[in-house]
Amino acid sequence: MEDKIWYLKDINVLKSLSDADLMRLGAICNMMQYSKGDFIYMFEETANVFFLKSGSVKVIQVEPDGGSHLQELLEAGELFGKFIDEQAERQLKVIAVEDCLVCYLSFEKWQDFIKDHPALSLSFIKWAGSRIKRLENKVDALYFKPSRQRIAEKLMDTIKRFGKKDERGNIIVSLSLTHDEIAQLTGTSRQNVNTYLNELREKGLIDYDRSSIKIKPEYFSNV
């Protein structure tokens, strides 16, 4: 049980809870480990709320014609699941980008728990508001910012959220994102992403392969 409390303490929306409340929540949660590439859930198949303790995940929207596009990336400390727009016709799937540790409980149990914890209810409302704001900002960027600026800002955001510094001062982003997925996140074309990243590589500011991006220290003084 103490392990579950430790796992839940770092979840952003749960920070208002006392250790006793975390213990009660932990008692009704399950824990699961996922390996890189595992499906965590398909939207229509589950009604669970998930707390991402470690790792990162991709949220992918599946279109009616069978196509799909990357909607967003979530990092440790986030929550996700079937609790907003439950009846929506859209189909989502969540995939582990790297090895993940997840705590989860049913949506019904989450509803019952949150009713007895007003501070948590407020935190959840604020989280939902910030999530909506983030999506609104993405839409605004599609209309008002040129593609190169959108790519540059998404790269910087990804560095801040997922980057880790190595012994040489480089920032390593260990996400297996394809250029097509970066294009989907930024609402631009794969060719624009290829051109922009290749320019940065030719300048010696970044390097990348299929599994990671290395950002050199010089990058931050040249953007």
Side-chain angles (χ1 to χ4, degrees), residues 51-181:
F51 306 109
L52 183 58
K53 168 56 185 175
S54 64
S56 54
V57 301
K58 298 177 183 179
V59 181
I60 298 173
Q61 183 165 334
V62 182
E63 307 297 343
D65 62 3
S68 63
H69 71 268
L70 180 57
Q71 187 178 85
E72 61 180 329
L73 295 168
L74 298 179
E75 60 195 308
E78 291 272 12
L79 70 155
F80 57 93
K82 190 174 181 180
F83 41 75
I84 297 177
D85 293 332
E86 272 195 282
Q87 306 303 319
E89 294 182 359
R90 64 177 182 164
Q91 304 295 316
L92 300 179
K93 57 185 178 182
V94 177
I95 301 174
V97 180
E98 53 189 334
D99 293 349
C100 294
L101 180 62
V102 174
C103 293
Y104 67 95
L105 73 164
S106 71
F107 178 67
E108 290 78 12
K109 289 181 179 179
W110 170 249
Q111 283 184 307
D112 291 339
F113 185 83
I114 205 170
K115 287 176 184 176
D116 297 327
H117 297 81
L120 175 58
S121 181
L122 180 59
S123 295
F124 184 69
I125 291 170
K126 288 181 178 179
W127 171 85
S130 65
R131 179 183 174 89
I132 292 170
K133 184 63 176 178
R134 188 165 63 191
L135 295 176
E136 288 176 344
N137 289 340
K138 181 179 178 180
V139 173
D140 288 344
L142 294 179
Y143 281 101
F144 301 114
K145 295 181 180 179
S147 60
R148 288 178 67 88
Q149 184 179 352
R150 296 200 301 271
I151 298 168
E153 289 181 356
K154 175 54 65 175
L155 179 58
M156 184 63 75
D157 177 65
T158 303
I159 292 169
K160 290 179 179 177
R161 293 173 61 198
F162 300 97
K164 297 179 181 178
K165 185 175 290 188
D166 68 10
E167 66 280 358
R168 297 185 178 181
N170 301 307
I171 304 296
I172 308 299
V173 179
S174 299
L175 298 177
S176 54
L177 288 176
T178 66
H179 288 189
D180 188 51
E181 288 176 324

Side-chain angles (χ1 to χ4, degrees), residues 166 170-173 205-208 212-216:
D166 68 10
N170 301 307
I171 304 296
I172 308 299
V173 179
L205 301 178
I206 71 169
D207 198 8
Y208 57 85
S212 65
I213 301 176
K214 179 190 293 184
I215 298 90
K216 308 292 184 62

Side-chain angles (χ1 to χ4, degrees), residues 1-11 22 53 101:
M1 181 60 68
E2 290 182 0
D3 285 344
K4 284 187 180 179
I5 293 175
W6 183 80
Y7 294 140
L8 293 171
K9 270 188 173 181
D10 291 334
I11 304 302
L22 287 172
K53 168 56 185 175
L101 180 62

